[in-house]
Amino acid sequence: MREREDLEEKYAALDRIIQRYHSDKGQLIRVLQEAQEVIGYLPEEVQTYIAGKMDMSVSEVNGVVTFYSLFATEPQGRFSINVCTGTACYVQGAQNLLEDFKRNLNLTDHNTTADGLFTVKSTRCIGACGLAPVLTVNDEVHGKLTRKDVAKLLRTYKRQADTVKECPQLKKAEVKEIDRVPAGFGTNQEHPAAGH
Ligand code: FES
């Protein structure tokens, strides 16, 4: 029952978003961004719903969703790890990092761990090539990474999750303060292989 109400609320919110942009096809990306904020991800049924309301084909909407790495078509973990596999990062070993994360988290068929803690994906250049290889975890950027950093990063974020579990009242900002990512994950130095 509660689930059905939740779903109705989400679709009502979706309607409001689409109305705000007057079903303007040129605003599709904004609509999708806001829809993802409300629903968490953009499954096929949501894409179909948006397409119908904006008088577009499902393949047009799906084309945009699958083109931009910021959009997700399946539920996302609490920590979304996006490994940049653009050229500068790729030549600095980004693919190995990506595989190490997946191996470490036992991700074979899915991008998200069963406990919903981590989602691991590759992404295009995020414009921080000087720090290659680079990844983001939610809105935090980590650069100049080596394969040794994979386990360290996962430990850091698992610890962060445990801290919140133990003390649910703790605000996100306070958690960040308590459990800062160890120095050495990101630097401001220019990397000689910078470029796209
Ligand atoms: S190629 Fe990775 S940040 Fe540009």
Side-chain angles (χ1 to χ4, degrees):
M1 185 66 186
R2 182 69 216 153
E3 234 170 69
R4 191 185 164 79
E5 283 171 14
D6 282 351
L7 200 64
E8 282 171 6
E9 274 171 28
K10 283 178 178 171
Y11 276 97
L14 207 47
D15 284 340
R16 286 195 293 275
I17 293 167
I18 296 166
Q19 275 162 17
R20 196 177 316 133
Y21 293 105
H22 309 289
S23 302
D24 178 357
K25 294 177 190 179
Q27 299 294 329
L28 177 63
I29 291 178
R30 280 177 182 277
V31 169
L32 292 172
Q33 275 178 318
E34 291 190 23
Q36 184 162 278
E37 276 166 30
V38 170
I39 295 168
Y41 65 111
L42 301 169
E44 215 175 287
E45 55 270 28
V46 169
Q47 294 177 41
T48 305
Y49 187 82
I50 292 173
K53 290 276 177 174
M54 296 185 74
D55 199 20
M56 298 175 77
S57 71
V58 178
S59 62
E60 276 177 285
V61 174
N62 183 259
V64 172
V65 170
T66 50
F67 182 79
Y68 292 102
S69 56
L70 78 129
F71 295 127
T73 54
E74 60 175 58
Q76 298 298 284
R78 171 151 169 222
F79 298 110
S80 194
I81 301 172
N82 289 294
V83 181
C84 174
T85 49
T87 309
C89 290
Y90 188 85
V91 298
Q92 294 293 330
Q95 193 61 32
N96 288 335
L97 292 177
L98 184 63
E99 283 163 17
D100 285 353
F101 273 112
K102 290 194 168 189
R103 198 174 309 115
N104 209 307
L105 294 168
N106 287 322
L107 292 172
T108 44
D109 300 334
H110 296 95
N111 294 328
T112 301
T113 53
D115 61 4
L117 202 53
F118 293 103
T119 295
V120 179
K121 285 189 299 185
S122 67
T123 185
R124 296 184 179 88
C125 176
I126 60 164
C129 313
L131 297 176
V134 172
L135 61 82
T136 57
V137 183
N138 297 348
D139 54 0
E140 290 171 345
V141 178
H142 301 280
K144 302 262 187 189
L145 297 167
T146 69
R147 297 178 81 168
K148 284 187 189 152
D149 293 323
V150 170
K152 277 197 262 179
L153 265 180
L154 290 175
R155 269 202 306 275
T156 298
Y157 285 100
K158 276 181 189 162
R159 226 173 31 230
Q160 204 177 94
D162 288 343
T163 308
V164 175
K165 226 187 282 166
E166 282 161 21
C167 182
Q169 292 94 339
L170 218 52
K171 292 192 187 84
K172 203 180 165 199
E174 289 170 328
V175 173
K176 274 189 186 168
E177 208 49 49
I178 288 168
D179 197 5
R180 279 194 183 288
V181 175
F185 281 128
T187 81
N188 291 323
Q189 292 161 20
E190 274 302 304
H191 195 280
H196 294 256

